[in-house]
Amino acid sequence: MTQSALGSSMPDTQLAASAEFQVPHPSSYSVVKRAIDIIGSVVGLLIVALVFIPVAIAIKLDSPGSIFYTQERHGLLGKPFRIYKFRSMVEGADSLKSQVENQAQGLIFKNKQDPRITKVGRFLRRTSLDELPQFWNVFLGEMSLVGTRPPTADEVSQYSDHHWQRLKVKPGITGEWQVNGRSTIKDFEDIVLLDLRYQSVWTPTYDLYLILKTLHAIFAKVGAF
């Protein structure tokens, strides 16, 4: 559903799908999935505590600005939340986005040689260390360990009906997209198909399988840039 269909007076932070897509996927209220998320997020936050000082020092020495990057994203049923990452780009990178070529197709932004990414930022991205603070989002229940890539407000404002279906699950730190090509997948429609496939085959066991595949992708640096 496009933004015009939602009503031009509706602010970006209140974007929502039609009633047809307001029924969440069973994974979003699964007790087992939430238990896995809590355990995983606690472990992840312990890792954050271990690496925080060296990562923070590296970020500060490489580029002036904050240690963390925050941005409004849209999660389950389009609900807005603030995502947390270690900063991998120059301060104020969002305001420079229009100056960078989008090498992806559709409602996603990718550029392999994005000039906004710092030297330390490229290392953080290749190792996925920049993603670690999202364990706090998982602990709060805004995200899950496994789910969809959380879109930005400008992306959601252009969604068609079938795009909204991907937001019937919580956004995840990892998911089908990350373990099946990650940054090498540059067509948004391919990502949507992977997200919908995840919904059709989901079980708590499948989540554990994707988590293991993610660990392999991280250590093998599969599809990362």
Side-chain angles (χ1 to χ4, degrees):
M1 176 170 290
T2 61
Q3 187 176 12
S4 60
L6 293 169
S8 58
S9 62
M10 181 176 290
D12 287 343
T13 55
Q14 297 298 319
L15 292 171
S18 64
E20 180 183 356
F21 301 126
Q22 287 297 312
V23 180
H25 186 268
S27 64
S28 65
Y29 49 81
S30 167
V31 175
V32 176
K33 183 177 176 68
R34 182 56 184 154
I36 295 172
D37 284 345
I38 292 175
I39 294 171
S41 64
V42 169
V43 173
L45 289 172
L46 290 175
I47 297 174
V48 172
L50 290 173
V51 305
F52 176 78
I53 292 179
V55 169
I57 292 174
I59 291 173
K60 281 292 191 180
L61 290 177
D62 184 47
S63 171
S66 61
I67 296 168
F68 294 104
Y69 168 78
T70 67
Q71 184 185 46
E72 183 181 89
R73 296 290 183 94
H74 289 260
L76 181 65
L77 303 182
K79 182 179 179 180
F81 71 99
R82 188 153 292 276
I83 199 170
Y84 296 93
K85 296 185 178 185
F86 282 124
R87 182 171 61 86
S88 62
M89 290 187 172
V90 296
E91 192 79 3
D94 288 341
S95 64
L96 303 173
K97 183 177 179 180
S98 62
Q99 302 176 26
V100 182
E101 178 189 4
N102 186 10
Q103 296 175 344
Q105 298 178 359
L107 304 178
I108 188 174
F109 187 91
K110 288 289 174 185
N111 185 299
K112 189 172 183 179
Q113 301 298 328
D114 195 325
R116 299 173 299 166
I117 302 175
T118 64
K119 292 179 181 178
V120 168
R122 291 199 180 278
F123 171 77
L124 294 177
R125 290 187 171 208
R126 285 197 304 269
T127 57
S128 296
L129 286 171
D130 64 314
E131 309 280 358
L132 289 179
Q134 291 176 63
F135 282 112
W136 179 243
N137 293 114
V138 175
F139 184 77
L140 294 177
E142 299 167 333
M143 293 180 64
S144 176
L145 294 178
V146 183
T148 63
R149 172 192 171 275
T152 60
D154 62 318
E155 293 168 354
V156 172
S157 68
Q158 302 176 66
Y159 270 15
S160 299
D161 283 351
H162 72 288
H163 297 147
W164 277 103
Q165 295 183 54
R166 66 188 298 270
L167 299 185
K168 294 176 73 172
V169 302
K170 286 184 179 182
I173 295 180
T174 189
E176 291 279 5
W177 171 57
Q178 288 88 340
V179 302
N180 289 289
R182 203 174 175 186
S183 295
T184 61
I185 299 178
K186 297 181 179 180
D187 190 326
F188 177 65
E189 295 302 329
D190 290 338
I191 294 174
V192 173
L193 290 175
L194 288 170
D195 287 337
L196 298 184
R197 177 186 180 278
Y198 170 72
Q199 293 183 31
S200 68
V201 303
W202 173 81
T203 64
T205 303
Y206 190 66
D207 271 2
L208 294 174
Y209 167 73
L210 289 180
I211 290 171
L212 291 176
K213 284 195 68 175
T214 299
L215 293 175
H216 171 263
I218 290 173
F219 290 116
K221 297 183 176 62
V222 177
F225 61 76

